[in-house]
Amino acid sequence: MTEFYLIPTWFFGFSSLLELFFGLITLGVALYAFYVNRFCDEREIKLFGYGFLAIALSYFSWAFVNWYVPFKASIQEEIFRFNNYEMLVSLGVYAHVFLFLIGLVTLVFLTMMREGNRLYSLLVILSFLIIVFSEQKIISFYFVSSLLLFYMIYHYGREFYEEGGKHNALMLLAFIFLFIASVDFTFSAINHIHFVAGHILFLIGYLFILFNLVLMVKPFLRKQKQKNG
Amino acid sequence: MGKKRSRLEIIRDILVVIKEKSGKIKPTHILYKSNLSHQMMDEYLTELLKKGFIEEGEREDKGRTYCITKKGQMFLERYKMIADFTEGFGIG
């Protein structure tokens, strides 16, 4: 039986809410990307939107699992051993793994500024092969995610070094926190505290992304408001 | 030396040139105004035609002409939002 996570039972409701919140932030970024793309029809913006949409769906799937487990199971211990005890739970966790990796690979591929699908398919296949052939699938998933997030840090680090600016700084900070969170989650099958700490670190990371999005949308909304009245 | 123009900036420059000429312009004029090589300009024009930002005018004796479409005008109107997005998320 594969052990997914160790979760303190008091954290179940909070974790679902946080995952839902991460899903809403990333969905917001995706929808705004699709809106902007309506006017420019740019491949990069469309891919960026799909990347964030996959991440949003992955969080909704995870939120569902963490809502469903305490709803269905009678949990008496203080720490819940989250393993594949039920088909639906396994499906939810693997949907989260699959969609999150697809989203991250899409974003990393985008930062490489390459045309064509060969590199993209190679990245996807390699990422999944590592997980499929691993005994500890969740640990491998967070290991691969950390690696991909590290590439995102490199991308935004270089952008910030070359261009500066608050937007690049915010995205760099966001991905640093997401990276640390992902590394922390690698240990979530060992000690339950990593599951809580990982969520808090993810929250900080996604708040930076949300702040960046708000900074972008605000002048546009102000302009629209002036136009309308 | 100035900063290298991004793809979106080049697209905007081409569309502005076409729009300034009352929406009808010959390729040679675009070439002169947009500061691109002939090959690059052809690639951009093909892309803009594909995206529906410009359309080829009726062939006259003097050759091809291009005019900006409604979609192209929308791009210009929303250019700042698009540029803010790509810059803000470090893409493109």
Side-chain angles (χ1 to χ4, degrees):
Chain A
M1 192 173 268
T2 312
E3 198 107 290
F4 288 148
Y5 308 102
L6 292 176
I7 309 172
T9 50
W10 61 266
F11 194 61
F12 265 118
F14 295 116
S15 63
S16 272
L17 280 178
L18 284 173
E19 289 143 16
L20 202 63
F21 186 56
F22 303 157
L24 288 174
I25 293 173
T26 44
L27 182 67
V29 175
L31 292 179
Y32 191 58
F34 293 139
Y35 177 73
V36 171
N37 193 52
R38 272 176 55 195
F39 303 106
C40 57
D41 201 9
E42 282 289 299
R43 181 175 161 271
E44 284 84 3
I45 296 177
K46 204 188 323 181
L47 268 179
F48 190 79
Y50 283 130
F52 268 92
L53 181 65
I55 292 173
L57 293 176
S58 85
Y59 278 118
F60 292 141
S61 159
W62 204 18
F64 168 74
V65 169
N66 283 334
W67 164 81
Y68 179 82
V69 168
F71 182 70
K72 285 296 259 191
S74 59
I75 301 161
Q76 273 136 19
E77 292 170 44
E78 270 185 37
I79 296 164
F80 182 73
R81 289 177 184 283
F82 202 138
N83 46 34
N84 56 350
Y85 76 101
E86 202 178 309
M87 184 72 169
L88 196 63
V89 171
S90 294
L91 271 177
V93 173
Y94 286 124
H96 168 66
V97 168
F98 175 77
L99 290 163
F100 193 80
L101 277 184
I102 286 282
L104 265 186
V105 166
T106 306
L107 295 181
V108 169
F109 171 71
L110 190 58
T111 63
M112 292 175 175
M113 293 179 199
R114 293 276 188 271
E115 289 286 332
N117 300 323
R118 276 188 305 166
L119 180 65
Y120 184 68
S121 57
L122 179 71
L123 281 172
V124 171
I125 290 165
L126 282 179
S127 302
F128 284 105
L129 278 183
I130 293 169
I131 293 164
V132 167
F133 289 109
S134 160
E135 257 182 54
Q136 289 289 331
K137 298 198 187 313
I138 290 297
I139 292 178
S140 310
F141 162 58
Y142 284 112
F143 176 76
V144 173
S145 299
S146 305
L147 194 68
L148 293 168
L149 285 163
F150 184 76
Y151 270 84
M152 294 304 290
I153 293 175
Y154 172 76
H155 171 71
Y156 284 110
R158 203 183 58 182
E159 288 281 312
F160 182 67
Y161 178 73
E162 285 172 4
E163 312 276 336
K166 60 182 178 229
H167 291 297
N168 284 328
L170 284 169
M171 290 306 282
L172 176 61
L173 280 169
F175 277 100
I176 287 173
F177 275 98
L178 296 182
F179 169 74
I180 300 170
S182 192
V183 171
D184 176 82
F185 261 105
T186 313
F187 304 104
S188 58
I190 299 164
N191 191 318
H192 65 281
I193 199 68
H194 293 293
F195 191 81
V196 180
H199 272 79
I200 294 165
L201 289 163
F202 266 138
L203 175 66
I204 300 169
Y206 285 117
L207 282 175
F208 277 118
I209 293 180
L210 177 66
F211 188 49
N212 192 27
L213 181 68
V214 170
L215 282 180
M216 237 175 277
V217 177
K218 222 172 151 186
F220 169 67
L221 288 178
R222 203 182 298 138
K223 211 175 160 188
Q224 287 289 100
K225 213 173 163 186
Q226 281 170 352
K227 227 177 186 180
N228 295 336
Chain B
M1 204 168 119
K3 205 181 132 195
K4 201 178 156 206
R5 281 184 301 171
S6 71
R7 250 176 51 79
L8 283 172
E9 281 172 328
I10 294 172
I11 290 173
R12 179 203 56 191
D13 291 348
I14 293 173
L15 290 176
V16 166
V17 168
I18 299 174
K19 197 182 171 191
E20 276 173 357
K21 275 280 173 181
S22 316
K24 207 170 184 186
I25 192 169
K26 283 188 271 181
T28 44
H29 202 88
I30 299 173
L31 189 68
Y32 167 68
K33 286 274 187 181
S34 62
N35 201 18
L36 289 168
S37 69
H38 195 276
Q39 192 196 338
M40 288 285 278
M41 186 200 66
D42 272 346
E43 282 174 16
Y44 274 102
L45 288 179
T46 307
E47 189 187 332
L48 293 180
L49 280 167
K50 208 170 148 191
K51 283 181 174 175
F53 287 177
I54 58 171
E55 54 191 23
E56 225 169 310
E58 279 182 29
R59 276 180 179 272
E60 293 171 2
D61 294 343
K62 290 170 187 170
R64 286 178 300 167
T65 59
Y66 293 101
C67 47
I68 191 165
T69 63
K70 206 175 169 187
K71 204 173 168 193
Q73 299 220 22
M74 281 298 280
F75 174 90
L76 287 179
E77 279 172 33
R78 302 287 173 144
Y79 176 75
K80 193 175 179 322
M81 182 183 76
I82 299 163
D84 282 351
F85 183 87
T86 53
E87 196 190 316
F89 281 116
I91 48 173

